Amino acid sequence: MRTHPHAQPTPAPFDDVRPARRGRATGRAVVGEDPLLRAAYALCRRTTRAHDPAIHALVQLMPAVLRPACWALWAAASALDDLADRPGVEPARRAADVESWTKALEHDLAVGASTDPIRHALVDTAARWRLDLSDLRGAMATTREDARGLRFADWAQWRAWCSREVAPWVEQVRHLFDQAGAPMTLRLDRQADYRHFVDGAQLTDTLTDLSTDLAQGHLLLPREAMEPFPGAEEDLIRRRWSPAVAALIAEMTVLGRRWLTRPAMTRGMHPGAAIVLDTAAGLMRLQLDAVDAAGPTLLARPPRPSVAARARVLLPARLRSAVAWSLTPLTVPAVRPAAAVVVKTSGPGPAAEDAGLRPPPPHRDGARPPHIAADKMPEHVAIIMDGNGRWAQQRGLGRQEGHRVGTAAAHEMVYGALEIGLRHLTLYTFSTENWKRDTDEVTTIFQTVQHELDHGPLRDLNVRQRWSGRPDRLPEDLVHALEREEHRTRDRTGLTLTICLDYGGRDEITRTAAALAQAARVGDVDPRLIGPDDFARHLPHPDMPDVDLLWRTGDEQRTSNFLPWHTAYAELYFTPDHWPDVDRRDLWQAITEYGRRQRRHGAALTSSEHQRPSPHTQPDSRH
Ligand code: IPE
Ligand code: IPE
Ligand code: MG
């Protein structure tokens, strides 16, 4: 429920957009020559200004090269919001429209262009700035659910909704700054300030949009906040101004101001980014003043601060930000040639792209991997990525959504593995037992993997990808894509990523035994002399090293038929978080924990090891 005083129900058809005027930030220097693209960005800018003048003003405080990307992101979020909130349209229909928009975006990202101007600009932004828009899937799924009406019992629920729906979009903007070389790094010791600030921003929005939200059947203030004011909730639902409502609103604006006033938050940040955030806080405090001054009209329309009041905050900020950014050399990606946005008809081509390998994108908070001594570093980490279904169900979403959102966590693990220097990462993606699930769920998992293989962000990292699993039951296209990627990435050296799909440990062992029997039959091995090494040589991937660390998320402590041969001596590590909630820092934590374990492989402890003061100083008994 972002502020949307002049909501446009649907994005304008592409034919209708006006060409961008010369000399604006959508000019050639930033966006390039392509007139369609320039028109698309111009529409995004107008949409941002119409939906939320304050956001538009804040974007103007950013360096000119970043503005088009911000408009594209904001216009896309607003377009989705409008679809979810269209007055007079059935909730189911609105949810379906949000879903089709989201699906269309997936398609557009795959082909690199769109017939819808806002998505066209967004696709261009994603490619230009290397943004991973799959991180937005969870936010889009939440917007779809919003179409059904929102109520929160307490602040925790309200906060969780905000962090699902709004935070991922803000994260994209932060990522944009990172990519441009002006990271909005927040100091760890200021995290609490940051959280309060985000709460303050959300509360300001909630209060501003009270009238429009009530008209849509949403009441976003949590019950916990309304309870101390008996009758206020009922009055709000009936859109009746009463002393209880007035007292509630007064209390909320005080709380909002307290949350927003975080003078220490931006200390140490890049001055340009700090000006943007400080000005945002200033504008939101003005907005809260307008809420206070509105009285009963708060229930009729969103209040607005006066132009003069806004100018008092914005004008000095504009001057200061222009100076701050002029002192910072920004990394600006090359303008994409117009041909790159022409709709492609075939899938991704072969090895030609290998020249363009890129490093993993940095963690969104700028987190860096810990230093791990070489003898404490596992060679092979295998992960049972569990909990997608429960993650989604706990949010009232379909299990499928969990699998879609879980993809972002898989990206994170690969990024984290590359950053910490892991050699082998193996991910359990679909087991031979998972065929017991509904066809819809199985299909979603396969489609998600197929999309990743064809268009995912891991494609141009220094990662050798391969597949382990039964070769005879998966859809033909998927098998083709798995084999194609295995071939295309075969000479890469950074990390070996094995995707276990239709994988079962017993199936692997049975097939290995069959291969060994066949070798014996033709006389290649003598059955009386078969040992573990002969067995290992007949495994589907004989070069896969033993698993050093087996990590399972999702609060289950079992191995579910995963890599029984390779994990015979693995260290086991179980964590409670559901898969979509983890990121690369959790992988680093797992590896750090592994470094503390004492591996003996059946040997006895020596007496000096018994007396060891701390496991950290223990030499690894593997060697
Ligand atoms: C793991 O998540 C992913 C797959 C098995 C494909 P789940 O789908 O098993 O999630 P839960 O265990 O039901 O929460
Ligand atoms: C294991 O998870 C398989 C994958 C993660 C792909 P499951 O959720 O299927 O395992 P069980 O059924 O809980 O053991
Ligand atoms: Mg499970």
Side-chain angles (χ1 to χ4, degrees):
M1 311 306 99
R2 290 161 204 91
T3 49
H4 35 74
H6 314 291
Q8 298 171 344
T10 42
F14 215 164
D15 296 345
D16 289 357
V17 297
R18 283 179 274 132
R21 267 181 281 154
R22 274 163 165 273
R24 312 297 290 258
T26 41
R28 292 184 170 83
V30 178
V31 170
E33 293 290 340
D34 181 354
L36 267 190
L37 195 57
R38 295 176 60 213
Y41 276 113
L43 175 74
C44 291
R45 177 187 188 155
R46 290 200 299 276
T47 306
T48 307
R49 193 169 41 208
H51 270 247
D52 196 334
I55 291 289
H56 183 258
L58 286 175
V59 174
Q60 293 306 103
L61 301 182
M62 297 184 179
V65 289
L66 294 177
R67 290 177 206 157
C70 294
W71 297 326
L73 284 163
W74 198 262
S78 308
L80 273 170
D81 232 17
D82 285 349
L83 288 175
D85 283 350
R86 239 161 343 140
V89 180
E90 285 264 286
R93 168 89 227 165
R94 286 186 264 140
D97 287 346
V98 173
E99 166 121 41
S100 351
W101 197 99
T102 310
K103 284 227 169 87
L105 176 63
E106 298 269 341
H107 166 269
D108 297 343
L109 285 168
V111 297
S114 179
T115 51
D116 170 86
I118 291 180
R119 288 200 303 268
H120 193 55
L122 188 61
V123 166
D124 179 72
T125 286
R128 201 181 280 264
W129 293 97
R130 298 269 178 205
L131 300 183
D132 184 354
L133 296 189
S134 60
D135 289 352
L136 293 174
R137 283 181 186 146
M140 293 183 186
T142 309
T143 304
R144 198 177 66 218
E145 294 309 308
D146 289 355
R148 301 179 202 285
L150 288 164
R151 290 280 196 284
F152 307 112
D154 52 26
W155 288 112
Q157 273 186 11
W158 173 87
R159 223 166 253 134
W161 168 79
C162 160
S163 75
R164 279 199 309 276
E165 169 146 333
V166 184
W169 292 92
V170 178
E171 282 305 316
Q172 294 287 346
V173 175
R174 276 183 64 186
H175 192 51
L176 201 61
F177 275 80
D178 288 349
Q179 301 286 78
M184 265 207 190
T185 316
L186 295 162
R187 285 169 41 178
L188 277 177
D189 57 342
R190 300 278 177 239
Q191 292 295 329
D193 279 340
Y194 178 60
R195 276 196 299 275
H196 282 308
F197 179 79
V198 170
D199 284 351
Q202 189 60 22
L203 183 55
T204 307
D205 251 13
T206 300
L207 293 169
T208 302
D209 288 348
L210 205 55
S211 59
T212 37
D213 286 342
L214 285 168
Q216 315 283 352
H218 306 300
L219 176 48
L220 266 58
L221 286 172
R223 239 171 232 133
E224 179 186 352
M226 295 186 288
E227 257 157 22
F229 304 91
E233 180 176 0
E234 181 69 20
D235 290 336
L236 278 176
I237 291 168
R238 293 174 185 278
R239 304 177 79 178
R240 208 165 47 202
W241 188 258
S242 63
V245 169
L248 166 69
I249 300 298
E251 166 116 347
M252 292 297 104
T253 53
V254 169
L255 183 62
R257 273 189 209 94
R258 198 163 69 226
W259 277 342
L260 285 169
T261 308
R262 304 278 136 193
M265 183 177 74
T266 52
R267 239 171 251 158
M269 211 180 244
H270 180 285
I275 292 167
V276 174
L277 283 184
D278 289 338
T279 310
L283 287 177
M284 286 186 286
R285 279 191 295 264
L286 278 186
Q287 187 60 46
L288 291 173
D289 293 346
V291 169
D292 275 335
T297 62
L298 185 65
L299 301 184
R301 60 185 169 274
R304 293 275 159 231
S306 73
V307 174
R310 284 186 38 199
R312 272 197 299 278
V313 175
L314 282 170
L315 288 180
R318 258 182 222 154
L319 285 175
R320 283 169 49 225
S321 68
V323 174
W325 293 120
S326 73
L327 299 174
T328 310
L330 293 172
T331 320
V332 180
V335 169
R336 287 206 307 165
V341 292
V342 166
V343 176
K344 286 187 240 148
T345 48
S346 57
E353 301 153 86
D354 273 12
L357 290 183
R358 62 176 176 115
H363 183 265
R364 60 181 53 143
D365 292 340
R368 298 291 305 149
H371 174 73
I372 306 284
D375 63 341
K376 298 291 174 197
M377 184 71 190
E379 184 185 5
H380 184 185
V381 175
I383 310 181
I384 303 177
M385 310 184 284
D386 199 19
N388 289 346
R390 279 164 287 160
W391 181 91
Q393 282 163 334
Q394 283 173 3
R395 288 161 177 77
L397 304 170
R399 296 179 55 85
Q400 275 94 318
E401 221 45 67
H403 298 306
R404 293 196 190 102
V405 176
T407 314
H411 298 160
E412 273 291 301
M413 293 315 142
V414 174
Y415 301 152
L418 283 165
E419 286 180 333
I420 203 169
L422 185 67
R423 302 301 311 153
H424 287 265
L425 177 69
T426 300
L427 300 179
Y428 204 5
T429 307
F430 187 86
S431 75
T432 46
E433 287 70 37
N434 287 146
W435 289 101
K436 293 174 196 157
R437 301 185 180 200
D438 282 357
T439 317
D440 280 355
E441 182 172 350
V442 171
T443 308
T444 301
I445 294 172
F446 292 164
Q447 280 172 347
T448 309
V449 176
Q450 176 95 44
H451 183 84
E452 283 300 302
L453 294 165
D454 291 346
H455 312 289
L458 305 181
R459 291 174 44 86
D460 50 1
L461 299 173
N462 188 7
V463 173
R464 176 168 76 128
Q465 275 194 45
R466 60 189 188 176
W467 160 47
S468 184
R470 266 185 72 154
D472 53 339
R473 299 193 293 194
L474 293 172
E476 217 172 282
D477 285 355
L478 184 53
V479 170
H480 174 74
L482 287 161
E483 290 173 346
R484 182 196 69 217
E485 288 310 289
E486 190 155 334
H487 185 73
R488 192 177 68 87
T489 62
R490 66 193 180 283
D491 295 327
R492 294 186 181 173
T493 52
L495 165 78
T496 296
L497 171 67
T498 307
I499 297 159
C500 291
L501 199 64
D502 201 8
Y503 174 92
R506 286 186 171 174
D507 169 69
E508 183 176 59
I509 286 178
T510 312
R511 284 193 289 128
T512 306
L516 206 49
Q518 179 63 14
R521 195 161 76 164
V522 299
D524 280 353
V525 290
D526 179 346
R528 289 165 304 181
L529 302 176
I530 289 176
D533 289 349
D534 301 289
F535 190 88
R537 270 192 291 110
H538 286 82
L539 283 162
H541 289 297
D543 63 332
M544 182 188 274
D546 279 357
V547 172
D548 298 304
L549 173 64
L550 174 65
W551 169 27
R552 181 175 190 145
T553 60
D555 213 15
E556 304 288 2
Q557 309 212 345
R558 55 178 173 264
T559 59
S560 302
N561 202 14
F562 189 37
L563 298 172
W565 179 268
H566 305 84
T567 57
Y569 252 106
E571 293 299 321
L572 305 181
Y573 181 66
F574 300 105
T575 55
D577 287 342
H578 295 144
W579 180 249
D581 285 330
V582 300
D583 72 15
R584 69 186 89 174
R585 291 169 303 183
D586 299 284
L587 173 69
W588 297 337
Q589 182 56 42
I591 290 175
T592 305
E593 164 64 24
Y594 167 86
R596 297 187 185 124
R597 302 271 177 101
Q598 199 180 50
R599 302 188 80 193
R600 291 196 282 278
H601 293 267
L605 279 183
T606 64
S607 53
S608 67
E609 283 166 341
H610 273 303
Q611 288 153 15
R612 198 165 49 100
S614 140
H616 300 258
T617 54
Q618 173 65 20
D620 192 336
S621 53
R622 271 184 306 172
H623 304 297

